[in-house]
Amino acid sequence: MFEVITETPLHSFLQGTAQATDPTRDGLVIQELGLSSYLNLRGDPIDESFLASVEAVLGVPVPTKPNSFCSSAENSVFWMGPNEWLVRSSEDASSVEKKLRDQLTGHFSVVDVSGGYTTLTLAGEGALWVMKKSCVYDVETIAVAAIGANANREGKSVQTVFAKAGAIISRPGSHEFQLTIRRSFSDYIARWLEDASAEFGGRFRTSDAGNEQPR
Amino acid sequence: MMQVNRLDSGGRIDRTKPLNFKFDGRKMQGYAGDTLASALLANGVDIVGRSFKYGRPRGIVGHGAEEPNAIVQLGHGAATVPNIRATQAELYEGMQAYSVGGWPSAEFDVFGFFKNVFGSMTPPGFYYKTFMWPRKFWMLYEHLIRKAAGLGSAPLEADPDSYDKVNQHADVLVVGGGPAGLMAALRAGQAGARVIIADEQNELGGSLLASGHSIDGVPATDWLRETLASLAALPNVQLLPRSTVFGYYDHNFLAIAERRTDHRGLSANGEARQCVHRVRVGRVVLATGAIERPLVFANNDLPGVMQASTLSTYLNRYGVTPGRKLVLVTCNDHAYKAAIDWHQSGKRAAAVVAIVDLRHTVSGELPKQARELGIRVIEGSGLIEAQGRKRVSSALVAPLSVEGDKVTGKATRLFCDVIACSGGWSPVIHLSSHTGAKPVWNDEIVAFLPGASVQKEQSAGAAAGARLLSECLVQGAQAGIEAATLCGFDLGSDVDSDGTIVESNAPATDEVSETRQQALFMVPHHKPKSRAPKQFVDFQLDVTAASIQLAAREGYESVEHAKRYTAMGFGTDQGKLGNINGMAILAAELNQSIPQTGTTIFRPSYTPTTFGAIAGRDVKDLFDPERYTAVQAWHVDQGAVFEDVGQWKRPRYFPQDVLGKRESMDEAVARECLAVRNSVGLLDASTLGKIDIQGPDAAEFINRIYSNAYMKLAIGKCRYGLMLHEDGMIFDDGVTAHLGEDHYLMFTTTGGAAGVLAWLELWAQTEWPELRVFFTSVTDHWTTATVTGPNARKVIEKVCTDIDLSRDAFQFMDWRDANVAGVQARIFRISFTGELTYEVNVPAHYGRHIWEQLLAAGEEFDITPYGTETMHVLRAEKGFIIVGQDTDGSMTPGDMNMDWVVGKNKHFSFLGERSLARSDTTRSMRKQLVGLKPLQCDTVIPEGAQIVNDPTEAIPMKMQGHVTSSYFSANLGYSFALAVVKGGLSRMGETVYCPLADGSTIAAEIVSSVFIDAAGDRQNV
């Protein structure tokens, strides 16, 4: 049999960087979360049954307000457009997809895009300034909203340009930002962050979860 | 050198911190808090440069951004900085500054030579008139002129410093940290607005830094300290000193250049040297102040002549008296302050010789104070000429007419070494002008004021025409409250019945009132302009009153024409001192008013901005994103040579060490090509665009987008398609697979992926909203490993056992879900090499795993990783096109000999169909894709080579087409090419010619575009 190995998008990058040792002393810690499931969901936001079915499967409402997300401990749903959402889940992508397909009717689209995304957190005193250096959006106005366990059920997230790539940005703490980015741009963004955070003593840290098989 | 002109006390310099510096190699000393200009004046340096055109000695005339003469170069080598105004360069220990006017040296300069040869007759338009003949010499002339007239030199080495950019958002941006700006920031900040206040000087305060007034009963500098403390205590206010707002763009977007380390030395020591703040704000308060206008008189460019406020600033802020004997010439009360400051400076032997007032009636409070101090005031007279060689030594003063336009009596000579002048004040309306607001002339204050706002901005203080400190404070406070209120912050202010905000808490000052100034710009001379000693308008570009007169006489009556003819205002100082005087002189020549003459338009940058700061961190490997596949690290480890495909990095080839020697590209590509055709190769095809398409109308939609039919494509099957624009021209191609009910996967070209997705959304959203279909980009999700070659099946069999891989069970153009090396994968039997091919797709986090497993499985077959160059050769051997290489946006499917991809019987039209029936697209002799076989079998025709029928034909030759792809084929044993040739498909066997730039010609035979396996058997095994 084959020993299956998985790698997060920043796997190779992180092997070549100094690791943060003491997060309380480092001015900025940049961390790649471990592998998660990502699914792109499209459907009609006016169709009550669509919204109800998705909520029934994911346990969180579908955000219909632009630039917002809804989340629970397991699932986060980010508004990407009037009829498009990105679901981040700690559950296996194929089982989420199957449950959605079983539940949904009519015209919709569910696509597993787990290989295409990764999520970074920036935490520390320098985080806000690094965001301002990287992003034309007024990040100061993003209200703090925790994601995941103990989360506000709804919070602000924005899709915008980050450096010269794209990112979905949310703000779990006043000095903490979360970026969901595309895999192919992740090395570029990591190099950008390494450079932008240098003045604050920025360091990278691999996820506690490490590179593990997505559940 | 001694600081001969330094006062013993006073000013904001720190006499306990001496700083050593060099100017043109001479050692000098200044103090912390000095600018280079104040230190030079303290050291008694008169000449800081030579003038642009006439090589005349020039001294410091200003104390800020307006300085036209003291332009210096700092340091040597890579970090050297040209184009620095000495008046804005903070002194630091070890500064090395060089004057830049004059070549080959400040001592002997070429223009001194010109001056001797041509006398003083170097009229405007001189360069165009003189150096345009003989025409071919212009290049040489231009080179020398630029060298001689240059304002410094750019470093030849890469800039060792780094720069930064930051995006800022605020409710209110206050530009300028003088009295008005500080009050605006304070009031807006107190109201709770997010405020940024930027000022170009090293400390905020503006005119308060050199003011002798008291505010609310305390010295202005004390009030300033308290106000800054109040501002610093507000967390919503950001103070940006050393920050020049250099551009005001649309949508209240402004750019600020913050100088972070320039005041510490040439090296930034790893920090960002400068940072450009890209600021988007709700309201802007322009509190940019005003610049004192010089008066135009004969020899007014002699070192020792400066503005009255400049004199006050050097006295009060820097403790420097730049001379011994002062003559002040003015048309207003305000300038008297400079003489009073001078008189009270306490400097030994410093005396005010006289104040020459152009006005016949002088009755103001300040003149009264001057007289009480015993200063001689000469009324109704003008300083008509400065005299001296390298510095002012005397002034000629003569009575003037009441209008000030004629000398009415005999001149008397006053001995002096400093002449301070004031022609009034010009509000700094540059930023307002950037927005497109048209400046408005105001006769009362004799200046242009900011025009009606076209953006969400307002001017306050001296920038809005205020003359007194008290007015500036009130206007600033009102502007701050108003800006905050308009942004939704309420300070609970009183509002007048007409809507004006009442500022009742404005600080009080000890100023006296001032009487009206006379609108005079130029002091006449006994001789006419053309005969009098030069009367300078624009110091930096040596524009004189006579040259403006000449421009008007030669018909350059529009201010824009006169400006270009004389070069007035074209310098790096943008005519901050001279433009208004020049316009006034032009207006007088044309017998019209200044508003009739108009003004020129200011454009960004307000002061020159370093390119590095504009680039920020978007340089080197961060200049543009590099996109990587999941296998990138492996490619790098293998020593792949990369090629840019859009933003992607793709391995171009994998050079190996053969007998201790690194393969060349040709060698590597030959090896890789042979390996694929003879055994098996492996390609990372992950960069191909991939779009997931779902919905009940997905098939119908795809059918309309592609030129060929898709309605009957069965689940489990793939089909190659061409995408056309409405004009019938090919713009993308690729395979689309039918994944399941109402579910498809479309492959696009690597470079076309984003454009295709946008194209699909465009048609779905705007033209065919009735079709129920959704698209999702899955490019990044999948890693695609292409196993291709006669042994491909044997490799796949070793890692995939859960499906039947036999030829008939899993056919060419089928796809299957399968488990590959323990991972759920999709395998497509599609081929870009013409060989037996399996494209294995897995989610990208398994990408490296699947790649290594395929390599291991293929080891016994010498599986060979190959790059894009090999891919190109292999597909060209099969005549497969690459959109964008073999097509160029003017090629139809028919031109590419691909009519087989055009569905003739679709029930609904497809994009581009109608255009395929146009007379031009159906005509014969269109350029068609063919193969070319060079007669010399190892000659590779350069791609892009033009094709002609007759190589001996005279130029212009009749072009038959061009070569689109060209390679040497190791498989064929000869070189070959794809080309588009007029009527090419009916010209098989003909010989055509490619004349090259070096004069040689390559002859080639027109052949089929398919060089290998014309029947297509190899991919079907």
Side-chain angles (χ1 to χ4, degrees):
Chain A
M1 277 319 288
F2 299 95
E3 192 200 338
V4 176
I5 295 163
T6 59
E7 289 182 355
T8 62
L10 284 181
H11 175 81
S12 298
F13 175 87
L14 291 170
Q15 288 186 326
T17 55
Q19 294 284 300
T21 45
D22 181 357
T24 57
R25 286 219 334 250
D26 291 305
L28 183 61
V29 176
I30 302 156
Q31 184 170 350
E32 184 187 28
L33 302 185
L35 293 173
S36 292
S37 296
Y38 295 89
L39 295 102
N40 197 85
L41 176 67
R42 300 195 70 169
D44 183 357
I46 297 164
D47 178 353
E48 291 294 337
S49 80
F50 169 79
L51 298 177
S53 301
V54 175
E55 184 169 355
V57 172
L58 299 176
V60 286
V62 178
T64 50
K65 199 171 89 186
N67 293 333
S68 68
F69 72 89
C70 296
S71 76
S72 68
E74 294 78 28
N75 297 311
S76 304
V77 184
F78 297 90
W79 184 93
M80 303 278 280
N83 59 10
E84 186 165 3
W85 297 267
L86 184 69
V87 179
R88 189 170 77 216
S89 178
S90 56
E91 224 184 303
D92 176 59
S94 58
S95 81
V96 178
E97 178 174 349
K98 183 172 185 310
K99 280 194 258 178
L100 284 168
R101 287 193 180 282
D102 289 348
Q103 196 72 222
L104 292 172
T105 53
H107 175 39
F108 67 92
S109 152
V110 186
V111 187
D112 178 7
V113 289
S114 305
Y117 287 94
T118 193
T119 297
L120 310 181
T121 58
L122 276 65
E125 287 296 320
L128 181 63
W129 197 257
V130 167
M131 292 299 294
K132 287 173 70 159
K133 282 172 35 163
S134 311
C135 184
V136 296
Y137 190 84
D138 188 358
V139 287
E140 281 175 89
T141 61
I142 301 178
V144 173
I147 301 179
N150 311 317
N152 316 38
R153 277 174 70 81
E154 194 181 301
K156 176 134 179 165
S157 62
V158 290
Q159 264 188 104
T160 185
V161 175
F162 186 89
K164 289 184 182 174
I168 303 159
I169 297 171
S170 55
R171 190 179 189 182
S174 59
H175 294 291
E176 190 180 347
F177 288 88
Q178 200 171 84
L179 309 178
T180 298
I181 57 174
R182 284 172 67 180
R183 164 181 278 273
S184 58
F185 291 94
S186 60
D187 279 86
Y188 161 75
I189 286 176
R191 279 202 305 272
W192 174 275
L193 286 171
E194 189 175 39
D195 181 87
S197 66
E199 63 178 299
F200 306 103
R203 290 294 189 93
F204 282 87
R205 192 150 70 108
T206 38
S207 167
D208 300 327
N211 283 316
E212 60 179 20
Q213 178 90 20
R215 279 165 289 151
Chain B
M1 270 178 89
M2 292 284 293
Q3 299 189 42
V4 291
N5 288 334
R6 186 75 74 178
L7 295 173
D8 296 332
S9 62
R12 300 178 71 80
I13 45 158
D14 185 348
R15 288 178 178 75
T16 66
K17 286 186 189 151
L19 298 172
N20 298 295
F21 70 103
K22 282 187 187 172
F23 178 67
D24 280 344
R26 292 186 299 170
K27 286 185 185 168
M28 302 182 198
Q29 208 171 59
Y31 293 123
D34 262 327
T35 61
L36 175 60
S38 66
L40 288 172
L41 286 173
N43 281 276
V45 174
D46 296 333
I47 301 172
V48 294
R50 292 262 167 184
S51 80
F52 176 76
K53 191 160 133 187
Y54 304 117
R56 290 166 71 109
R58 288 284 163 80
I60 293 162
V61 303
H63 58 283
E66 74 284 2
E67 174 59 42
N69 292 337
I71 310 293
V72 298
Q73 179 110 14
L74 297 179
H76 290 289
T80 187
V81 188
N83 217 345
I84 295 294
R85 291 155 305 286
T87 50
Q88 295 193 297
E90 287 176 59
L91 198 67
Y92 54 78
E93 177 65 30
M95 177 185 272
Q96 295 188 44
Y98 302 88
S99 56
V100 295
W103 175 82
S105 74
E107 300 305 316
F108 171 81
D109 77 328
V110 148
F111 281 116
F113 169 74
F114 277 139
K115 194 187 160 195
N116 289 335
V117 173
F118 294 103
S120 57
M121 295 170 59
T122 318
F126 168 79
Y127 299 118
Y128 302 107
K129 289 171 180 168
T130 309
F131 292 115
M132 285 313 289
W133 185 91
R135 218 174 138 188
K136 64 181 176 185
F137 276 20
W138 170 245
M139 295 299 278
L140 174 67
Y141 290 146
E142 189 191 22
H143 180 70
L144 287 172
I145 289 167
R146 288 194 187 281
K147 194 168 179 182
L151 297 171
S153 51
L156 298 172
E157 302 89 344
D159 192 335
D161 292 320
S162 69
Y163 302 83
D164 220 337
K165 271 189 290 200
V166 66
N167 300 289
Q168 297 255 42
H169 298 262
D171 298 307
V172 180
L173 171 67
V174 179
V175 187
L182 290 171
M183 284 306 295
L186 189 63
R187 289 289 184 266
Q190 285 165 341
R194 277 200 291 177
V195 177
I196 297 172
I197 174 166
D199 187 274
E200 64 181 348
Q201 300 206 56
N202 63 320
E203 49 182 338
L204 274 72
S207 63
L208 299 178
L209 298 169
S211 172
H213 287 295
S214 71
I215 303 176
D216 276 349
V218 298
T221 48
D222 292 353
W223 182 87
L224 171 62
R225 192 175 341 104
E226 284 159 25
T227 305
L228 288 176
S230 309
L231 283 169
L234 292 169
N236 50 324
V237 176
Q238 203 180 125
L239 303 170
L240 286 178
R242 297 190 176 101
S243 299
T244 304
V245 180
F246 65 86
Y248 193 152
Y249 308 93
D250 281 353
H251 311 296
N252 260 12
F253 175 64
L254 299 93
I256 307 175
E258 180 193 8
R259 291 170 297 281
R260 288 186 171 168
T261 69
D262 294 62
H263 60 289
R264 293 208 302 264
L266 274 190
S267 169
N269 288 324
E271 286 176 55
R273 183 181 155 224
Q274 298 185 0
C275 178
V276 165
H277 298 248
R278 299 153 44 86
V279 189
R280 291 168 175 84
V281 289
R283 298 287 306 181
V284 176
V285 176
L286 297 173
T288 46
I291 293 172
E292 193 166 24
R293 277 198 301 272
L295 285 166
V296 179
F297 53 86
N299 292 334
N300 59 335
D301 67 327
L302 268 175
V305 179
M306 59 182 63
Q307 278 76 257
S309 57
T310 297
L311 184 66
S312 285
T313 301
Y314 286 118
L315 277 169
N316 298 341
R317 183 168 173 191
Y318 300 105
V320 173
T321 49
R324 298 284 177 274
K325 292 179 193 159
L326 169 70
V327 170
L328 183 127
V329 54
T330 180
C331 60
N332 59 69
D333 285 3
H334 197 86
Y336 279 72
K337 284 185 187 177
I340 295 168
D341 287 341
W342 174 284
H343 183 86
Q344 293 174 337
S345 69
K347 179 79 177 174
R348 296 180 305 275
V352 180
V353 176
I355 296 173
V356 180
D357 201 317
L358 301 164
R359 299 173 293 185
H360 280 251
T361 314
V362 180
S363 59
E365 202 53 42
L366 285 167
K368 194 174 145 216
Q369 286 178 15
R371 283 184 170 120
E372 282 167 4
L373 290 170
I375 297 171
R376 179 183 171 200
V377 177
I378 306 171
E379 296 176 4
S381 293
L383 194 162
I384 63 168
E385 182 179 333
Q387 295 182 325
R389 278 180 53 81
K390 290 189 165 180
R391 167 153 195 145
V392 171
S393 58
S394 61
L396 292 184
V397 175
L400 300 184
S401 61
V402 174
E403 293 76 25
D405 59 345
K406 278 191 275 299
V407 178
T408 55
K410 204 162 160 285
T412 47
R413 173 175 294 183
L414 300 176
F415 289 96
C416 61
D417 60 359
V418 176
I419 294 172
C421 61
S422 176
W425 291 78
S426 297
V428 177
I429 56 172
H430 296 66
L431 291 174
S432 150
S433 184
H434 289 179
T435 67
K438 210 167 154 30
V440 182
W441 182 258
N442 184 300
D443 278 326
E444 179 64 29
I445 68 154
V446 195
F448 280 106
L449 289 179
S453 300
V454 296
Q455 294 207 35
K456 291 174 179 170
E457 54 89 7
Q458 62 210 101
S459 296
R467 310 300 298 268
L468 296 174
L469 176 57
S470 52
E471 286 179 282
C472 292
L473 293 165
V474 172
Q475 283 191 15
Q478 282 175 339
I481 295 167
E482 195 175 321
T485 307
L486 289 167
C487 291
F489 296 89
D490 187 7
L491 203 61
S493 312
D494 298 329
V495 179
D496 237 352
S497 53
D498 66 347
T500 0
I501 288 151
V502 180
E503 167 62 30
S504 43
N505 301 320
T509 69
D510 64 347
E511 288 168 298
V512 295
S513 63
E514 293 177 15
T515 59
R516 202 183 155 106
Q517 78 166 86
Q518 187 168 7
L520 270 179
F521 307 90
M522 162 135 199
V523 185
H525 195 272
H526 289 295
K527 296 176 183 170
K529 292 186 186 79
S530 56
R531 310 297 291 270
K534 287 191 164 46
Q535 299 155 316
F536 283 94
V537 173
D538 181 322
F539 296 115
Q540 197 174 75
L541 293 189
D542 268 355
V543 179
T544 62
S547 58
I548 293 169
Q549 185 180 43
L550 181 68
R553 203 170 65 217
E554 294 201 353
Y556 295 90
E557 297 181 358
S558 155
V559 64
E560 295 291 350
H561 289 156
K563 182 181 165 187
R564 278 153 185 80
Y565 189 69
T566 61
M568 179 178 78
F570 269 84
T572 56
D573 64 342
Q574 289 200 345
K576 290 184 176 72
L577 288 181
N579 271 9
I580 302 297
N581 287 338
M583 278 177 262
I585 291 165
L586 181 66
E589 289 296 331
L590 299 171
N591 278 322
Q592 61 190 25
S593 69
I594 291 176
Q596 281 171 322
T597 309
T599 181
T600 55
I601 293 159
F602 297 108
R603 295 187 177 85
S605 293
Y606 175 67
T607 47
T609 307
T610 307
F611 276 122
I614 293 167
R617 299 304 302 143
D618 294 315
V619 292
K620 297 177 184 166
D621 65 334
L622 295 175
F623 172 67
D624 200 39
E626 290 182 1
R627 298 178 69 184
Y628 296 160
T629 74
V631 196
Q632 172 76 8
W634 187 90
H635 298 324
V636 172
D637 288 346
Q638 295 300 307
V641 173
F642 288 91
E643 175 180 36
D644 291 339
V645 184
Q647 290 175 321
W648 289 97
K649 289 283 174 191
R650 297 194 72 180
R652 191 173 187 194
Y653 57 98
F654 292 89
Q656 306 291 306
D657 287 327
V658 179
L659 301 172
K661 199 167 156 279
R662 202 72 163 164
E663 284 176 324
S664 67
M665 180 172 92
D666 289 345
E667 290 164 348
V669 169
R671 173 179 52 74
E672 292 172 8
C673 284
L674 290 169
V676 171
R677 295 252 184 259
N678 295 324
S679 181
V680 63
L682 183 63
L683 175 79
D684 181 2
S686 310
T687 63
L688 279 186
K690 293 171 278 285
I691 300 168
D692 182 283
I693 304 173
Q694 297 182 23
D697 298 314
E700 175 63 28
F701 185 90
I702 295 166
N703 203 46
R704 295 181 187 184
I705 284 284
Y706 274 132
S707 64
N708 45 337
Y710 274 84
M711 294 306 284
K712 289 182 182 147
L713 184 68
I715 292 174
K717 291 284 181 189
C718 309
R719 184 166 293 166
Y720 172 82
L722 279 179
M723 235 177 252
L724 314 183
H725 273 153
E726 300 98 315
D727 59 7
M729 303 303 160
I730 297 168
F731 96 100
D732 207 79
D733 70 342
V735 166
T736 290
H738 196 166
L739 297 181
E741 194 187 340
D742 303 334
H743 194 181
Y744 292 81
L745 179 68
M746 175 184 282
F747 288 90
T748 75
T749 58
T750 295
V756 170
L757 181 61
W759 180 247
L760 302 185
E761 287 285 2
L762 173 74
W763 286 91
Q765 291 180 30
T766 66
E767 300 297 327
W768 307 323
E770 70 281 6
L771 296 186
R772 292 159 300 162
V773 60
F774 282 130
F775 314 97
T776 303
S777 168
V778 290
T779 304
D780 279 26
H781 174 63
W782 297 103
T783 290
T784 305
T786 301
V787 182
T788 182
N791 286 322
R793 183 175 290 119
K794 292 178 190 159
V795 175
I796 296 295
E797 277 168 352
K798 291 176 67 180
V799 288
C800 175
T801 51
D802 64 339
I803 60 165
D804 184 350
L805 291 166
S806 68
R807 173 193 164 155
D808 297 326
F810 186 4
Q811 297 179 5
F812 178 56
M813 297 308 274
D814 284 354
W815 74 269
R816 294 287 180 270
D817 275 325
N819 187 295
V820 179
V823 178
Q824 200 55 40
R826 268 186 204 147
I827 307 177
F828 297 85
R829 271 207 62 187
I830 53 184
S831 177
F832 200 38
T833 60
E835 300 293 331
L836 170 67
T837 302
Y838 296 88
E839 292 203 346
V840 181
N841 287 256
V842 293
H845 38 270
Y846 300 111
R848 179 74 182 258
H849 167 74
I850 214 75
W851 186 263
E852 304 262 14
Q853 292 294 335
L854 289 168
L855 280 171
E859 197 174 353
E860 62 182 286
F861 310 103
D862 279 335
I863 192 167
T864 302
Y866 67 95
T868 51
E869 191 64 25
T870 296
M871 177 187 85
H872 284 186
V873 177
L874 294 171
R875 64 87 205 179
E877 289 172 352
K878 287 290 298 173
F880 296 154
I881 63 163
I882 288 184
V883 172
Q885 173 157 349
D886 301 297
T887 70
D888 61 4
S890 70
M891 310 290 186
T892 66
D895 297 340
M896 289 290 107
N897 196 18
M898 290 172 81
D899 275 334
W900 58 274
V901 200
V902 179
K904 305 286 188 297
N905 301 312
K906 297 173 114 176
H907 72 279
F908 189 93
S909 178
F910 57 90
L911 292 178
E913 181 182 43
R914 209 173 59 159
S915 293
L916 296 180
R918 287 191 297 133
S919 56
D920 184 63
T921 44
T922 53
R923 70 182 161 83
S924 61
M925 294 308 279
R926 280 183 66 86
K927 289 178 188 167
Q928 294 170 320
L929 186 79
V930 294
L932 286 185
K933 195 175 163 188
L935 301 189
Q936 191 100 39
C937 72
D938 57 351
T939 304
V940 179
I941 314 172
E943 286 174 355
Q946 293 291 319
I947 295 164
V948 299
N949 289 336
D950 175 5
T952 62
E953 190 183 355
I955 292 170
M957 302 165 102
K958 290 191 187 72
M959 299 301 176
Q960 298 300 304
H962 65 275
V963 175
T964 59
S965 298
S966 181
Y967 313 95
F968 180 82
S969 166
N971 285 301
L972 297 168
Y974 55 83
S975 57
F976 73 106
L978 299 178
V980 286
V981 178
K982 284 182 182 169
L985 291 172
S986 54
R987 295 174 61 183
M988 292 296 152
E990 285 184 25
T991 299
V992 288
Y993 301 88
C994 298
L996 303 183
D998 66 2
S1000 64
T1001 298
I1002 299 172
E1005 181 189 348
I1006 298 178
V1007 297
S1008 159
S1009 59
V1010 185
F1011 291 83
I1012 281 181
D1013 185 26
D1017 295 334
R1018 296 172 69 103
Q1019 61 200 10
N1020 276 312
V1021 294

